[in-house]
Amino acid sequence: MTDIKAVKDYFLNLQQTICTELTAIDGQSDFIVDQWQREQGGGGITRVMSEGAVFEKGGVNFSHVMGDKLPGSATAVRPELAGRSFQAMGVSLVMHPHNPYVPTSHMNVRFFVAEKEGHDPVWWFGGGFDLTPYYGFEEDCVHWHQMSKQACEPLGEETYSKYKKWCDDYFFIKHRNEARGVGGLFFDDLNEPGFDKSFEFTRSVGDHYLKAYAPIAEKRKNESFGEREKTFQKMRRGRYVEFNLVYDRGTLFGLQTGGRTESILMSLPSDVGWYYDWQPEPGSEEERLTDYFLKPKNWLA
């Protein structure tokens, strides 16, 4: 038995809680609130912060959309769902900081139900969170993964390593042959433990995002930086954009379902750079990011 209202109430509360804490970390800007309706059914609340003291651009999006049939991005993975109506809801966020020493962070929790007359509903949860540093700090990666592991406790001992690997595999920029960041958690199609347990786990992931990110942002937001670090940050943001537009399933799903483009593409940073055949200086912190931090590893070893 699924409880769609309970899921929606949790997602709306999570959006508000996260925005309140991130506003406090920024200390200057607040999120503008943009409520919208979708012609084909449903709508959402987009909250966007720009030109804050800490966050150059960030968005925390809630959406609850529905339709008569699932798009190709969903039925390609699950062909048995073709011809079903659907409801999809979730919270997704990306925060892009000014300071290159503060990582970009991403979090997403979502719930899908696909229905067809005469058949049982098919439902599942998905989501996760991941961290994209520009300059690596060992203790930040360890803390992020400690919180990732803690988030997995409702589903037992093996869950963290399974969903960590899924995250490492998913957030990989194939055409660059490099990871997007230092990973975290990624899960999808979760329904096997039953609704209550799956929902409990999804709540745990949503609730651990701030525990994972807030201490890192607070610790790094006052680090001094110069033009070199900003140039490198812009180049790395370009890799972020490449992943989101080429591989990200949530972006593709949103665009293929006629979703609200402004909300779907709020994850893109405002200031990005592409530099032809850019190479880091040997032995530099920029080289260390890709040679050490962006190689999948057991941060909790």
Side-chain angles (χ1 to χ4, degrees):
M1 185 69 182
T2 59
D3 187 345
I4 293 174
K5 183 183 182 304
V7 178
K8 184 172 184 174
D9 289 346
Y10 168 72
F11 285 161
L12 283 165
N13 185 59
L14 178 67
Q15 182 192 35
Q16 180 62 59
T17 301
I18 288 172
C19 288
T20 300
E21 177 135 357
L22 293 176
T23 299
I25 290 170
D26 188 84
Q28 176 179 295
S29 276
D30 203 346
F31 288 84
I32 62 161
V33 180
D34 185 10
Q35 298 203 25
W36 49 273
Q37 296 296 315
R38 180 172 168 272
E39 212 175 288
Q40 304 93 319
I45 304 168
T46 296
R47 296 175 185 253
V48 176
M49 177 188 285
S50 52
E51 293 308 318
V54 175
F55 299 110
E56 187 175 307
K57 184 185 174 194
V60 185
N61 196 34
F62 165 80
S63 61
H64 178 196
V65 301
M66 51 215 68
D68 294 335
K69 63 173 190 172
L70 281 156
S73 62
T75 55
V77 186
R78 304 279 292 266
E80 75 277 12
L81 300 181
R84 285 177 176 253
S85 65
F86 74 93
Q87 291 189 62
M89 68 174 78
V91 172
S92 61
L93 72 85
V94 175
M95 299 304 295
H96 292 291
H98 276 294
N99 192 321
Y101 289 104
V102 182
T104 283
S105 67
H106 162 255
M107 191 278 292
N108 169 253
V109 279
R110 57 189 180 274
F111 178 62
F112 279 85
V113 186
E115 296 173 293
K116 192 175 185 178
E117 208 173 315
H119 295 75
D120 288 337
V122 177
W123 60 267
W124 66 91
F125 287 92
F129 49 61
D130 63 286
L131 193 70
T132 306
Y134 305 98
Y135 289 89
F137 294 93
E138 195 104 25
E139 65 267 33
D140 294 356
C141 298
V142 171
H143 169 76
W144 182 262
H145 281 274
Q146 282 172 339
M147 292 301 100
S148 303
K149 188 175 185 188
Q150 206 176 87
C152 290
E153 284 174 4
L155 287 190
E157 195 60 40
E158 299 305 306
T159 309
Y160 165 70
S161 56
K162 176 182 170 185
Y163 290 159
K164 177 199 180 293
K165 184 180 186 311
W166 200 346
C167 188
D168 289 339
D169 292 346
Y170 180 77
F171 290 106
F172 190 79
I173 308 168
K174 299 179 187 71
H175 60 272
R176 298 283 188 182
N177 195 33
E178 69 181 31
R180 187 174 88 170
V182 296
L185 301 172
F186 182 90
F187 70 101
D188 208 357
D189 302 322
L190 179 70
N191 58 19
E192 214 173 68
F195 177 82
D196 290 344
K197 203 72 184 165
S198 301
F199 184 25
E200 181 192 358
F201 172 70
T202 303
R203 291 197 307 269
S204 183
V205 171
D207 295 345
H208 274 81
Y209 164 74
L210 283 172
K211 295 177 185 177
Y213 188 56
I216 296 171
E218 288 281 18
K219 190 194 297 183
R220 304 292 169 202
K221 68 183 185 181
N222 295 319
E223 299 263 1
S224 60
F225 63 90
E227 199 52 45
R228 172 185 176 138
E229 289 91 342
K230 283 302 286 183
T231 299
F232 184 61
Q233 181 192 50
K234 285 197 276 189
M235 190 274 292
R236 293 304 312 173
R237 283 174 172 178
R239 304 291 165 92
Y240 203 93
V241 171
E242 289 173 27
F243 178 88
N244 275 31
L245 294 183
V246 177
Y247 302 112
D248 187 70
R249 278 159 54 178
T251 303
L252 297 176
F253 177 85
L255 294 174
Q256 288 178 6
T257 52
R260 186 170 183 269
T261 305
E262 282 298 307
S263 299
I264 296 161
L265 298 183
M266 70 171 191
S267 62
L268 303 182
S270 49
D271 197 9
V272 190
W274 279 273
Y275 309 105
Y276 182 75
D277 197 26
W278 186 92
Q279 301 296 329
E281 281 180 29
S284 65
E285 286 301 310
E286 291 82 4
E287 183 183 68
R288 191 164 180 253
L289 179 80
T290 44
D291 285 7
Y292 177 74
F293 283 95
L294 299 188
K295 305 290 186 202
K297 51 175 59 63
N298 179 3
W299 290 103
L300 303 182

